[in-house]
Amino acid sequence: MGAPADRPWPGTEAEAVAEQERIRRAADLASPGPAPGEVDRIAGVDVAYDPGSDLTVAAAVVLDAATLEVVEEAVHTGRSRFPYVPGLLAFRELPGVLAALEKLSAPPGLVVCDGYGYAHPRRAGLAVHLGVLTGLPCFGVAKSPFAFSHTEPGPRRGDSSPLLDGRRDPPEVVGRALRTRSGVKPVFVSAGHGIGLEHACAHTLRLTPRHRLPETTRGADGLSRRVLAEIARDRREPRGAARG
């Protein structure tokens, strides 16, 4: 499917920034990508962290694009290779995400990341990075606008407004604030690799029939948290220990 999880990985911030510059140059930002109805399987990926250690659980949950039913799940448990640094989160999360995706029986037609894509200071957020490494169309749906500005979109589902980088003159559009539920705060969609913003927003609305966040994100977040909770429980109660 793509690069293995044990590929050489930057060890310093300077190396990571240089790698992001390479990733940005390699990203396909021109393709409109698949529209709703043109892919059969859509995956969501997310990572849960153990607050007491460097343990991480990465999850990939695949949905049937038509019914939004879960058709496959995979997880990978590992250790963080890279510290938390704002703007460099991909280097902390991607090894586990790549490993989880590799465990799927077949590549999904599209991947939705819980985070940013082009809406990143170096235009190389998690969705850009993952798309380049795997060759899969990827985009990001984030809960906050990160370092960018926007006007509040209209109150109805489907209303949107540009997400802008005001450091540029004129400001550059890096994504879109999108209302997925009427009267509920928007999410922030940005293209990643192999899919444009229009189709990314269309998929986001298709994936949010009942909730603010895409069903892909909700599935991956829930799975990673459940597995992490099971690991924590097993640490407290070793296998074979008497219960009750």
Side-chain angles (χ1 to χ4, degrees):
M1 182 186 303
D6 59 354
R7 67 188 298 276
W9 213 242
T12 67
E13 290 188 36
E15 291 173 351
V17 169
E19 177 67 0
Q20 281 187 334
E21 293 295 335
R22 185 191 73 80
I23 290 293
R24 177 184 57 81
R25 292 191 297 269
D28 174 8
L29 300 172
S31 171
E38 296 180 348
V39 292
D40 296 326
R41 292 159 44 98
I42 303 178
V45 294
D46 202 6
V47 179
Y49 296 90
D50 179 8
S53 71
D54 59 357
L55 180 70
T56 66
V57 176
V61 173
V62 182
L63 306 186
D64 179 289
T67 66
L68 303 187
E69 295 295 325
V70 175
V71 296
E72 191 173 7
E73 298 178 338
V75 296
H76 176 78
T77 302
R79 301 285 175 179
S80 300
R81 302 189 192 182
F82 201 88
Y84 172 72
V85 179
L88 299 177
L89 183 63
F91 296 96
R92 186 171 172 83
E93 297 200 343
L94 274 177
V97 168
L98 287 167
L101 286 171
E102 288 289 345
K103 294 179 180 180
L104 297 175
S105 62
L110 180 65
V111 181
V112 183
C113 297
D114 179 23
Y116 307 95
Y118 191 73
H120 180 274
R122 285 175 289 278
R123 307 298 186 260
L126 178 65
V128 174
H129 206 146
L130 180 61
V132 170
L133 292 185
T134 62
L136 299 173
C138 296
F139 68 92
V141 180
K143 302 178 187 72
S144 71
F146 194 30
F148 305 109
S149 63
H150 68 288
T151 58
E152 193 69 10
R156 295 189 176 186
R157 171 176 162 84
D159 288 342
S160 66
S161 62
L163 188 62
L164 300 171
D165 184 351
R167 299 173 304 171
R168 306 290 177 89
D169 188 17
E172 181 185 4
V173 176
V174 296
R176 192 173 294 172
L178 179 65
R179 192 87 66 186
T180 56
R181 303 296 299 159
S182 295
V184 174
K185 61 184 178 179
V187 297
F188 301 90
V189 182
S190 56
H193 169 84
I195 185 170
L197 187 57
E198 290 298 327
H199 285 177
C201 287
H203 279 289
T204 300
L205 289 173
R206 177 73 184 84
L207 290 164
T208 52
R210 296 177 298 276
H211 302 281
R212 176 185 177 230
L213 295 178
E215 291 300 303
T216 42
T217 299
R218 287 167 49 81
D221 174 74
L223 177 59
S224 62
R225 290 177 184 273
R226 287 196 303 273
V227 172
L228 189 62
E230 290 170 3
I231 292 172
R233 185 188 64 228
D234 288 345
R235 278 199 304 237
R236 293 192 302 269
E237 300 178 17
R239 293 187 185 277
R243 300 189 185 186

